Amino acid sequence: MKQFVFTCAFLMICVAASAQNWNRNHNIYKMPATGTPKVVTKLGTDPQFQSLRRVSDRDVMLHNFKELGNNGRYKNEINSLFVSMGYSGVNDPAFGTEDLTATEVPFGAIGMLGNGGNNYQYCMIAIPNQTSVKCWRVKAANGNPDLYFMSECGNAFYYANAPQERVVIREVVKPVERAGEARLKVKVYARYTKEDQCNCCEATDDGWVYEEKALLAEDIIEPIPVTADDDNIPVKKIYIDVEKPAFRKIKAYDVNGKYDKHADDDQLASY
């Protein structure tokens, strides 16, 4: 009897592990280990799920998702995406409005973007003159990353460089006479560096370093406590190191600057 129980438990573990690995095998999660993302400067030219486009109401969005599961054209792909997130399919009763969130992804979002042929490509979202683009976020049920569906085109998107959720650890601190709060501003930069000596280089412990950076996104998050009132906003800078070809594309759409139509015209692509 003990051997039978052990065998059953072992088989259950194997099946669970197999299912988890299978879920991760969906092409939307297959990020390349190296390479430069394709810069997407326009959405809506090759829609993936038509009925998911430009929907602003959550109940309507849920209804449209469910309808895709009964549509011969879309059901295979939409169901495979939802299975990868731990559901039995898009019509799983466990998938409801509470799993849908209207949100945005910022300029510079990197990940795998679908197209009308249900192919997925390594891309960076960089729409001219837009600091972010609207989308719907679907909460995964199995611990895999959530998936996003772009409002403009209805295309599925795995947001690979999404900000990680922060764990707040509360500590008991000694009271102070004066208390205030400050805001923390986070700036995300793309950075290209190389070791060389030139007029614009600066000396470091590792020698002469040439550095360029482009602002991808900035945000102000929740207040942080300080011991005295202060109007200044501390700035935390996060750098994403990229290769030179990628940096040249990003720099053309620096969120602080204007699009230079002469910069890498032949490399900037629509999707």
Side-chain angles (χ1 to χ4, degrees), residues 39 41 107 124 126-129 214-216 248-260 263 268-269:
V39 177
T41 61
F107 183 104
M124 183 181 72
I127 311 301
N129 302 318
L215 182 62
L216 292 179
R248 291 176 64 191
K249 296 177 183 180
I250 294 170
K251 186 65 176 177
Y253 289 97
D254 189 324
V255 77
N256 270 348
K258 296 182 178 179
Y259 169 52
D260 180 1
L268 297 170

Coordinates of all heavy atoms in Angstrom, one line a residue, residues 39 41 107 124 126-129 214-216 248-260 263 268-269:
V39 N 12.4 47.7 -33.0 CA 11.7 48.9 -32.4 C 10.4 49.0 -33.1 O 10.3 49.2 -34.3 CB 12.6 50.1 -32.6 CG1 11.9 51.3 -32.1 CG2 13.9 50.0 -31.9
T41 N 7.3 51.3 -33.8 CA 6.9 52.7 -33.8 C 5.5 52.9 -34.1 O 5.0 54.0 -34.1 CB 7.8 53.5 -34.7 OG1 7.6 53.0 -36.1 CG2 9.3 53.3 -34.4
F107 N 6.9 53.8 -22.6 CA 7.8 53.9 -23.7 C 9.1 53.1 -23.3 O 9.6 53.3 -22.2 CB 8.2 55.4 -23.9 CG 9.1 55.7 -25.1 CD1 8.6 56.2 -26.3 CD2 10.5 55.4 -24.9 CE1 9.5 56.5 -27.3 CE2 11.3 55.7 -26.0 CZ 10.8 56.2 -27.2
M124 N 10.7 46.2 -28.8 CA 10.6 47.3 -27.9 C 9.6 48.3 -28.4 O 9.6 48.7 -29.5 CB 12.0 48.0 -27.8 CG 11.9 49.1 -26.7 SD 13.5 50.0 -26.5 CE 13.5 51.0 -28.0
A126 N 8.1 51.7 -28.8 CA 8.6 53.1 -28.8 C 7.8 53.9 -29.8 O 8.2 54.2 -30.9 CB 10.1 53.1 -29.3
I127 N 6.5 54.2 -29.4 CA 5.6 55.0 -30.2 C 6.0 56.5 -30.1 O 6.0 57.0 -29.0 CB 4.1 54.8 -29.8 CG1 3.9 53.3 -29.6 CG2 3.2 55.4 -30.8 CD1 4.1 52.5 -30.9
P128 N 6.2 57.1 -31.2 CA 6.6 58.6 -31.2 C 5.6 59.4 -30.5 O 4.4 59.3 -30.6 CB 6.7 59.0 -32.7 CG 7.0 57.7 -33.4 CD 6.2 56.6 -32.6
N129 N 6.1 60.3 -29.6 CA 5.3 61.3 -28.9 C 4.3 60.7 -27.9 O 3.4 61.3 -27.4 CB 4.5 62.2 -29.9 CG 5.5 62.9 -30.8 OD1 6.5 63.4 -30.4 ND2 5.1 63.0 -32.1
A214 N 20.0 57.3 -22.7 CA 18.7 57.8 -23.2 C 17.7 57.4 -22.2 O 17.6 56.3 -21.7 CB 18.4 57.2 -24.6
L215 N 16.8 58.4 -21.8 CA 15.8 58.2 -20.8 C 14.6 57.4 -21.4 O 14.0 57.9 -22.4 CB 15.3 59.5 -20.3 CG 14.2 59.5 -19.2 CD1 14.8 58.8 -18.0 CD2 13.8 60.9 -18.8
L216 N 14.4 56.2 -20.9 CA 13.3 55.4 -21.4 C 12.0 55.7 -20.7 O 10.9 55.8 -21.3 CB 13.6 53.9 -21.1 CG 14.7 53.3 -21.9 CD1 14.9 51.8 -21.5 CD2 14.4 53.4 -23.4
R248 N 21.2 53.3 -30.6 CA 21.0 54.3 -31.7 C 19.5 54.4 -32.0 O 19.0 55.5 -32.2 CB 21.7 53.9 -32.9 CG 23.3 54.1 -32.8 CD 24.0 53.6 -34.1 NE 23.6 54.4 -35.2 CZ 23.9 54.1 -36.5 NH1 24.5 53.0 -36.7 NH2 23.6 54.9 -37.4
K249 N 18.8 53.3 -31.9 CA 17.3 53.3 -32.2 C 16.6 54.0 -31.0 O 15.7 54.8 -31.2 CB 16.8 51.9 -32.4 CG 17.4 51.2 -33.6 CD 16.9 49.8 -33.7 CE 17.4 49.0 -34.9 NZ 17.0 47.6 -34.9
I250 N 17.0 53.6 -29.8 CA 16.4 54.2 -28.6 C 16.6 55.7 -28.5 O 15.7 56.4 -28.2 CB 16.9 53.5 -27.3 CG1 16.5 52.0 -27.3 CG2 16.4 54.1 -26.1 CD1 17.2 51.2 -26.2
K251 N 17.8 56.1 -28.8 CA 18.2 57.5 -28.7 C 17.3 58.4 -29.6 O 17.0 59.5 -29.3 CB 19.7 57.7 -29.0 CG 20.2 59.1 -28.8 CD 20.1 59.5 -27.3 CE 20.7 60.9 -27.1 NZ 20.6 61.3 -25.7
A252 N 16.9 57.8 -30.7 CA 16.1 58.6 -31.7 C 14.7 58.9 -31.1 O 14.0 59.8 -31.5 CB 15.9 57.8 -33.0
Y253 N 14.3 58.1 -30.1 CA 13.0 58.3 -29.4 C 13.1 58.6 -27.9 O 12.3 58.3 -27.1 CB 12.1 57.1 -29.6 CG 11.7 56.9 -31.0 CD1 12.3 56.1 -31.9 CD2 10.6 57.6 -31.5 CE1 11.9 55.9 -33.2 CE2 10.1 57.5 -32.8 CZ 10.8 56.6 -33.6 OH 10.4 56.4 -34.9
D254 N 14.2 59.2 -27.5 CA 14.5 59.6 -26.1 C 13.2 60.3 -25.6 O 12.7 61.2 -26.2 CB 15.7 60.5 -26.0 CG 16.1 60.8 -24.6 OD1 15.2 60.9 -23.7 OD2 17.3 60.9 -24.4
V255 N 12.7 59.9 -24.5 CA 11.5 60.4 -23.9 C 11.6 61.9 -23.6 O 10.6 62.6 -23.5 CB 11.0 59.6 -22.7 CG1 11.8 60.0 -21.5 CG2 9.5 59.8 -22.4
N256 N 12.8 62.4 -23.4 CA 13.0 63.8 -23.1 C 13.2 64.6 -24.4 O 13.2 65.8 -24.4 CB 14.3 64.0 -22.3 CG 13.9 63.9 -20.8 OD1 12.8 64.0 -20.4 ND2 14.9 63.8 -19.9
G257 N 13.4 63.9 -25.5 CA 13.7 64.7 -26.8 C 12.6 64.5 -27.8 O 11.5 64.1 -27.5
K258 N 13.0 64.9 -29.0 CA 12.0 64.8 -30.1 C 12.5 63.8 -31.1 O 13.7 63.6 -31.3 CB 11.8 66.2 -30.8 CG 11.2 67.2 -29.9 CD 10.9 68.5 -30.6 CE 10.3 69.5 -29.7 NZ 10.1 70.9 -30.4
Y259 N 11.6 63.2 -31.9 CA 12.0 62.2 -32.9 C 12.8 62.9 -34.0 O 12.3 63.9 -34.6 CB 10.7 61.6 -33.4 CG 11.0 60.7 -34.6 CD1 12.0 59.7 -34.6 CD2 10.2 60.9 -35.8 CE1 12.2 59.0 -35.7 CE2 10.5 60.1 -36.9 CZ 11.4 59.1 -36.9 OH 11.6 58.4 -38.0
D260 N 13.9 62.4 -34.3 CA 14.8 62.8 -35.4 C 14.5 62.0 -36.6 O 14.9 60.8 -36.6 CB 16.2 62.8 -35.0 CG 17.1 63.3 -36.1 OD1 16.6 63.7 -37.2 OD2 18.4 63.2 -35.9
A263 N 17.3 60.0 -38.2 CA 18.1 59.1 -37.4 C 17.7 57.7 -37.7 O 16.6 57.3 -37.3 CB 18.0 59.4 -35.9
L268 N 14.3 51.9 -38.2 CA 13.1 52.0 -37.4 C 11.9 51.3 -38.1 O 11.6 51.6 -39.3 CB 12.8 53.4 -37.1 CG 13.9 54.1 -36.3 CD1 13.7 55.6 -36.2 CD2 14.0 53.6 -34.9
A269 N 11.2 50.4 -37.4 CA 10.2 49.6 -38.1 C 8.8 49.8 -37.5 O 8.6 50.2 -36.4 CB 10.6 48.1 -38.0

